[in-house]
Amino acid sequence: SLHVLKSLEIPIKEDVWLSLSAATVFVGREEILKLVTNFIIDPINNKPLLFVGPSNSGKSSILREIRRNNENSILLSSELFFHFLPDEKQLLKLICFNKVVFPNLPEAQKNEIEQIIFSTDKVNIEKYLAVFGEMSKSLNFILLIDEISAFEPIVIEMLSLILPILVVNGIKVLIAEKQTTSIKKDFYPSLDVIHLKPYTEIETKEFIEANCS
């Protein structure tokens, strides 16, 4: 399984992880998806959107459905992190080394990103944040973050520094998390929160029938 490969620290491409780890048919939460669509196309509202709910409420499924429906989206999940690079460098790699961002960057910026990631030197925070500033000024993408609390502390700290830069430059950010308290207080104070309830028995049955038929 994918989790066995992860335990062996074997890198897995994001598209492979998505295709094998998530349901192929999305059932329920249609109203939520309509709200998300309106948020994405809204040129004014850039306040990050936070989905909060217990297990079996569809938080991760919503993010993965957004990912499938929007080619310019990037999904961050703790399952995508491995130990062959420092976590802060992996974060930069996950956000930049993909078909959404990297092919559309100027050569000078590509070289700068590669230097930060593959250098043996400690990350220079000012240069690190400057990369995200320049990148988000010139590109339009959607950042999806699945369960921030599952990330390593250094990743959470870096995201808390990166997100304000992205939001100011018009990048849409959507987050899934189990609870809001620490996220709103310590991570990002201004969020639009959507509370999700667990799937009903009928919704669960529809989900199983749609994916197993």
Side-chain angles (χ1 to χ4, degrees), residues 2-3 14-26 33 36 51 58-71 73-80 143-147 151 174-176 199 207:
L2 295 180
H3 292 283
E14 180 193 357
D15 55 350
V16 174
W17 184 274
L18 286 171
S19 65
L20 296 179
S21 65
T24 56
V25 180
F26 188 82
L33 291 178
V36 167
F51 300 103
K59 303 183 300 297
S60 297
S61 296
I62 288 174
L63 291 190
R64 282 164 173 75
E65 184 68 8
I66 297 169
R67 174 70 182 85
R68 280 190 287 267
N69 292 337
N70 296 273
E71 293 184 353
S73 62
I74 301 165
L75 177 64
L76 294 181
S77 171
S78 61
E79 288 92 349
L80 298 173
L143 183 62
L144 311 172
I145 308 175
D146 191 9
E147 201 168 334
F151 290 113
L174 299 96
I175 305 167
Y199 278 106
F207 180 88

Side-chain angles (χ1 to χ4, degrees), residues 131-185:
V131 164
F132 285 99
E134 292 301 315
M135 175 185 67
S136 57
K137 284 179 184 177
S138 60
L139 299 179
N140 177 32
F141 61 90
I142 303 165
L143 183 62
L144 311 172
I145 308 175
D146 191 9
E147 201 168 334
I148 290 171
S149 58
F151 290 113
E152 294 295 327
I154 184 61
V155 177
I156 297 174
E157 180 182 351
M158 289 297 181
L159 283 172
S160 70
L161 298 174
I162 294 167
L163 254 60
I165 297 172
L166 300 183
V167 171
V168 165
N169 288 327
I171 301 301
K172 301 290 184 174
V173 178
L174 299 96
I175 305 167
E177 188 54 77
K178 292 179 180 178
Q179 47 80 35
T180 62
T181 306
S182 62
I183 297 298
K184 290 180 71 67
K185 181 181 178 182

Side-chain angles (χ1 to χ4, degrees), residues 17-44:
W17 184 274
L18 286 171
S19 65
L20 296 179
S21 65
T24 56
V25 180
F26 188 82
V27 175
R29 306 296 190 247
E30 285 80 7
E31 291 301 317
I32 298 294
L33 291 178
K34 288 181 182 178
L35 186 152
V36 167
T37 299
N38 292 334
F39 167 70
I40 289 173
I41 65 176
D42 188 338
I44 299 175

Side-chain angles (χ1 to χ4, degrees), residues 82-213:
F82 297 87
H83 298 301
F84 60 89
L85 274 176
D87 285 330
E88 63 272 25
K89 293 186 178 184
Q90 283 195 74
L91 177 61
L92 177 60
K93 184 174 184 290
L94 287 171
I95 295 178
C96 296
F97 276 24
N98 52 67
K99 63 182 180 181
V100 176
V101 172
F102 204 73
N104 300 305
L105 294 174
E107 287 302 318
Q109 197 165 13
K110 289 180 181 179
N111 293 336
E112 187 175 5
I113 291 170
E114 289 175 341
Q115 184 177 8
I116 292 174
I117 292 174
F118 299 113
S119 171
T120 56
D121 297 336
K122 188 176 180 180
V123 169
N124 181 303
I125 297 299
E126 290 185 3
K127 290 184 178 180
Y128 188 88
L129 297 180
V131 164
F132 285 99
E134 292 301 315
M135 175 185 67
S136 57
K137 284 179 184 177
S138 60
L139 299 179
N140 177 32
F141 61 90
I142 303 165
L143 183 62
L144 311 172
I145 308 175
D146 191 9
E147 201 168 334
I148 290 171
S149 58
F151 290 113
E152 294 295 327
I154 184 61
V155 177
I156 297 174
E157 180 182 351
M158 289 297 181
L159 283 172
S160 70
L161 298 174
I162 294 167
L163 254 60
I165 297 172
L166 300 183
V167 171
V168 165
N169 288 327
I171 301 301
K172 301 290 184 174
V173 178
L174 299 96
I175 305 167
E177 188 54 77
K178 292 179 180 178
Q179 47 80 35
T180 62
T181 306
S182 62
I183 297 298
K184 290 180 71 67
K185 181 181 178 182
D186 303 325
F187 181 73
Y188 199 93
S190 181
L191 299 164
D192 280 339
V193 182
I194 297 177
H195 293 275
L196 301 176
K197 296 180 180 179
Y199 278 106
T200 64
E201 184 176 343
I202 293 176
E203 289 172 333
T204 302
K205 183 178 180 181
E206 290 176 351
F207 180 88
I208 293 173
E209 289 177 349
N211 283 279
C212 299
S213 59

